Amino acid sequence: MVLFLVERLPLLPADHAWQRLTDWPRHADVVPLTRVTVRMPPPTGEGTVFVARTGIGPLAFDDPMEVTVWQPPEGEAGGKCRLVKHGSFVTGWAEIEVHPYGDGASRVVWREDLRVRWLPSLFDRPLGRLARRMFGRAMDGLLAPDSRRPR
């Protein structure tokens, strides 16, 4: 089991940061070799299920996730989203929190409990370093000022 936290202070209002981080298909734009399929029509809310498929050919795996908490930021109140991973290879949970932070900025916290089946605990520390780096880069890409995708 690997528990890690990544924090960012983007120059985006909380509602904009929230929209970027919870646009599940956009995650495929910033995570290499990954496709994301949302299995239900919008809007996202509790009960939404999506699958991130990562890898190439026979080395790919599905990471199905379900939104179990959906509280978008509103006014000065922060927002929180909790995802539960239901995969046969990757399990655990992730929480995304977005809070207003000063004038037009926000504070984003991503916590994750990452479990990879059949991976001995000997690999927890290297996996944690890799996961922090990978999720930090993904957050940076999702929150970058030029990362707006046409709708």
Side-chain angles (χ1 to χ4, degrees):
M1 174 193 85
V2 174
L3 183 60
F4 66 92
L5 179 141
V6 180
E7 184 176 354
R8 295 293 187 265
L9 300 171
L11 295 175
L12 291 168
D15 59 334
H16 291 166
W18 175 268
Q19 289 168 357
R20 290 181 184 200
L21 291 168
T22 61
D23 181 351
W24 310 123
R26 285 187 71 233
H27 286 239
D29 296 342
V30 297
V31 179
L33 305 174
T34 299
R35 256 185 352 251
V36 178
T37 305
V38 180
R39 293 194 168 163
M40 39 210 2
T44 293
E46 287 182 21
T48 295
V49 174
F50 61 96
V51 178
R53 181 159 183 83
T54 301
I56 299 174
L59 300 177
F61 65 93
D62 288 339
D63 185 7
M65 292 171 252
E66 179 182 1
V67 176
T68 60
V69 174
W70 182 259
Q71 300 165 340
E74 193 172 317
E76 292 302 310
K80 181 177 182 177
C81 175
R82 181 176 174 95
L83 308 170
V84 175
K85 297 172 172 278
H86 295 291
S88 59
F89 183 62
V90 177
T91 63
W93 52 263
E95 290 179 345
I96 302 167
E97 292 183 24
V98 180
H99 302 275
Y101 189 81
D103 190 27
S106 53
R107 177 175 171 259
V108 176
V109 177
W110 187 301
R111 281 181 201 84
E112 185 143 349
D113 172 5
L114 181 62
R115 298 164 191 242
V116 179
R117 292 185 199 241
W118 310 295
L119 189 67
S121 60
L122 161 75
F123 294 99
D124 285 356
R125 190 167 286 165
L127 178 62
R129 283 192 298 270
L130 177 65
R132 271 189 293 283
R133 188 174 336 68
M134 185 180 81
F135 281 89
R137 290 186 73 189
M139 283 177 62
D140 292 343
L142 291 166
L143 297 169
D146 61 349
S147 69
R148 296 174 198 260
R149 193 167 76 176
R151 300 257 173 207

